[in-house]
Amino acid sequence: MKAAEIIEALTYHTAYPYEAVAAAIDQPDEVIPGLLEVLEAAIEDLSSVADDLDNIGYIYAMYLLAQFREPRAYPLLVRFFSLPQQETLMRITGDLVTEDLGRMLASTCGGDIGLIQAMLEDRTLDEFIRSAAMSALVVLVAQGVKSREEILTYFQTLFREKLPRENCTEVDAYIWGSLVSNSLDLYPDMVIEDIRQAYAEDLVDETILDLAYVEEEMERGKAARLNKLQNDRHYTFINDTVAETKWWAMYQEKTPPRATTMPVLVTRRTGQVVRVGGKVGRNDLCPCGSGKKYKHCCGRSGGNA
């Protein structure tokens, strides 16, 4: 397949585009310019993309560019998810944000975390997008690109300087909780007093993560926590577009071929269909089927507990 044919097949299809994905992977140099153009076009005219429910080419562009470790995709991903139409972005990208956006950012940034930091500090962005940006930093530690100490030192600046402490909104409380969660995944010995202070000031949404759980995990020790980090798929790079996308509900046998909306996906653990259009209550059971409360599972920074 030629590059233009690949892009077209990834954009509009009624069954999983195995041939197009394989062809793209076989000829990255030829297809990357077209994938970048698809992403740029989505940024320039998001409303048209959102209105064309059959078009998911921009989603495949994100996954493939991340798999290719394409550095030119990094600022485009940041621009796309920083667009002012935040509700529209969340509606059309669905679980991509909570499942894989952090991994995409980490896969394409080449170790340059400046744009990621800007995203997570931007209070105009959706809290799930900001949380995904935060998790990208943990991915970089898990993959050996950044040191644990460097990222925890940055997290310390968030605790002490960069996150609001006065007149906090519900969204601010969620971001505080995400900061605690991501710090915990790195074993938060460097910031544990900052964490305790945040809870003392009632800054953290405890329905996301409570202090007792943090203390319990601390008692398990650094080695156990870091071993868990190394074995968590949520902290890996994007390496296989097919594995990341073939499980979507739109490709399941009983699902109509028309992709009516991206936010309806099939969870990896159980195969059950989950509607992402509305947010799950923090004390509800996690929709992934783990049996844990959402706050201790996928509600923790967009990843597994």
Side-chain angles (χ1 to χ4, degrees):
M1 298 177 71
K2 294 182 179 179
E5 296 172 325
I6 294 170
I7 299 297
E8 179 66 19
L10 293 174
T11 302
Y12 297 106
H13 47 265
T14 56
Y16 191 83
Y18 285 105
E19 183 181 359
V21 174
I25 292 170
D26 283 344
Q27 45 185 313
D29 291 341
E30 288 78 9
V31 80
I32 282 174
L35 295 173
L36 292 170
E37 288 179 6
V38 167
L39 198 45
E40 289 172 342
I43 293 168
E44 294 303 320
D45 193 358
L46 184 67
S47 59
S48 292
V49 171
D51 289 342
D52 186 355
L53 298 178
D54 292 311
N55 175 3
I56 57 171
Y58 61 100
I59 299 291
Y60 276 99
M62 292 177 188
Y63 278 100
L64 285 166
L65 290 166
Q67 180 174 339
F68 297 151
R69 308 288 184 270
E70 175 51 58
R72 288 173 291 180
Y74 176 41
L76 294 180
L77 286 168
V78 173
R79 283 176 57 200
F80 181 87
F81 286 100
S82 299
L83 289 170
Q85 304 98 313
Q86 291 287 292
E87 288 188 12
T88 299
L89 286 171
M90 292 302 296
R91 175 172 60 83
I92 68 174
T93 55
D95 268 1
L96 181 153
V97 171
T98 54
E99 285 272 338
D100 296 327
L101 175 56
R103 300 170 63 214
M104 289 176 174
L105 292 167
S107 296
T108 57
C109 74
D112 177 5
I113 62 174
L115 295 178
I116 293 172
Q117 292 171 321
M119 282 184 79
L120 73 88
E121 293 174 31
D122 186 347
R123 295 180 73 191
T124 69
L125 302 187
D126 183 273
E127 63 268 34
F128 287 113
I129 291 174
R130 294 174 65 193
S131 182
M134 199 180 298
S135 73
L137 301 177
V138 182
V139 174
L140 292 171
V141 174
Q143 298 305 308
V145 177
K146 292 292 181 182
S147 72
R148 169 181 167 274
E149 291 72 23
E150 178 183 353
I151 299 306
L152 282 176
T153 297
Y154 170 65
F155 283 174
Q156 193 169 68
T157 69
L158 295 175
F159 277 112
R160 298 183 180 182
E161 307 167 21
K162 296 185 176 182
L163 294 189
R165 305 185 94 92
E166 303 292 335
N167 302 315
C168 288
T169 65
E170 183 179 339
V171 169
D172 292 324
Y174 180 86
I175 296 302
W176 276 100
S178 183
L179 178 57
V180 172
S181 175
N182 281 282
S183 298
L184 185 59
D185 285 333
L186 294 177
Y187 191 75
D189 53 345
M190 295 172 58
V191 294
I192 187 60
E193 292 306 322
D194 297 288
I195 289 173
R196 290 168 179 154
Q197 184 61 34
Y199 280 100
E201 295 181 35
D202 199 26
L203 297 171
V204 182
D205 181 350
E206 292 204 52
T207 63
I208 298 173
L209 193 63
D210 54 49
L211 183 58
Y213 180 79
V214 175
E215 299 288 6
E216 288 171 10
E217 289 298 300
M218 285 290 291
E219 289 180 7
R220 295 178 186 273
K222 182 177 178 180
R225 172 53 67 173
L226 295 183
N227 181 65
K228 189 174 184 179
L229 176 68
Q230 292 298 321
N231 291 288
D232 190 336
R233 68 156 293 277
H234 287 87
Y235 295 125
T236 60
F237 289 139
I238 300 292
N239 294 312
D240 184 345
T241 295
V242 173
E244 303 292 351
T245 58
K246 68 179 181 180
W247 58 277
W248 291 346
M250 60 182 288
Y251 299 126
Q252 304 310 304
E253 219 172 275
K254 296 181 181 179
T255 302
R258 187 169 184 269
T260 56
T261 178
M262 269 297 297
V264 180
L265 302 176
V266 176
T267 63
R268 294 173 187 275
R269 287 185 180 142
T270 65
Q272 72 185 95
V273 175
V274 177
R275 182 177 62 82
V276 187
K279 295 174 183 176
V280 181
R282 304 302 172 210
N283 285 311
D284 294 343
L285 288 178
C286 189
C288 75
S290 67
K292 299 179 183 179
K293 287 186 178 181
Y294 183 65
K295 67 183 180 181
H296 289 324
C297 193
C298 295
R300 295 179 57 247
S301 74
N304 284 345

